[in-house]
Amino acid sequence: QVQLMESGGGSVEAGGSLNLSCIATEYPYDSACMAWFRHVPREAVASIDNSGTIAYADAVKGRFSISKDTAKKTLYLQMTSLKPEDSAMYYCAAADDRVYCRHPQSYDFGRWGQGTQVTVSS
C-alpha cells in the first residue's frame, strides 16, 4: 500500500509563494493519476497522470504548477501569487486509473496523505 506524506505548508502573506511536496513512502510509485486537493469541501486543484497530462482548476491556473519526479517518488505543487482564499489543508492523493485525472473527484482516489496546512494572510 502506497503511503503518501505531504510537506511544505506554512503561513505566508498574500502574493507570496509556497512549494508543497508529497513523497511516497513505499514502493512501487507510479500511480496512474496523482492530484492535489484542498479542503473544504475537497476540490482538486491540480492533477497529473502517468502520461504527463496535467490539469488545473480554474481558480489556480497560471499560479500553481504540478510536477512529479518518479525517481524520487515525489509529487510537487508550486504555488505562487497566493491569495487568502487559497488557505486550506492541502492533500495529495493517488488513483489507479488515469481517467480520474480528467475530472478529479475525491471519492475516486484511494490513497491520501495526512495533509499540510497552507495559510495566506491578507
Side-chain angles (χ1 to χ4, degrees):
Q1 186 80 13
V2 174
Q3 302 297 323
L4 304 174
M5 185 176 299
E6 304 94 337
S7 63
S11 298
V12 296
E13 294 185 349
S17 301
L18 283 173
N19 295 319
L20 305 184
S21 297
C22 170
I23 188 167
T25 58
E26 295 187 15
Y27 186 83
Y29 171 76
D30 192 16
S31 294
C33 176
M34 297 290 296
W36 287 97
F37 286 80
R38 62 187 180 188
H39 200 74
V40 170
R42 286 195 183 183
E43 63 170 351
V45 297
S47 64
I48 182 169
D49 70 21
N50 56 3
S51 73
T53 300
I54 289 173
Y56 296 100
D58 288 343
V60 306
K61 281 181 181 177
R63 300 188 299 120
F64 289 13
S65 177
I66 188 172
S67 62
K68 67 177 181 178
D69 186 327
T70 302
K72 294 183 178 179
K73 298 187 289 184
T74 304
L75 180 73
Y76 302 99
L77 186 68
Q78 293 181 297
M79 304 186 295
T80 64
S81 302
L82 283 162
K83 305 175 181 180
E85 52 263 43
D86 293 319
S87 297
M89 187 73 82
Y90 283 72
Y91 301 87
C92 67
D96 292 331
D97 194 322
R98 71 167 69 173
V99 69
Y100 299 132
C101 266
R102 296 177 190 173
H103 302 288
Q105 301 293 327
S106 60
Y107 47 76
D108 289 325
F109 288 73
R111 293 179 292 279
W112 293 81
Q114 83 289 349
T116 186
Q117 180 68 41
V118 171
T119 303
V120 185
S121 58
S122 57

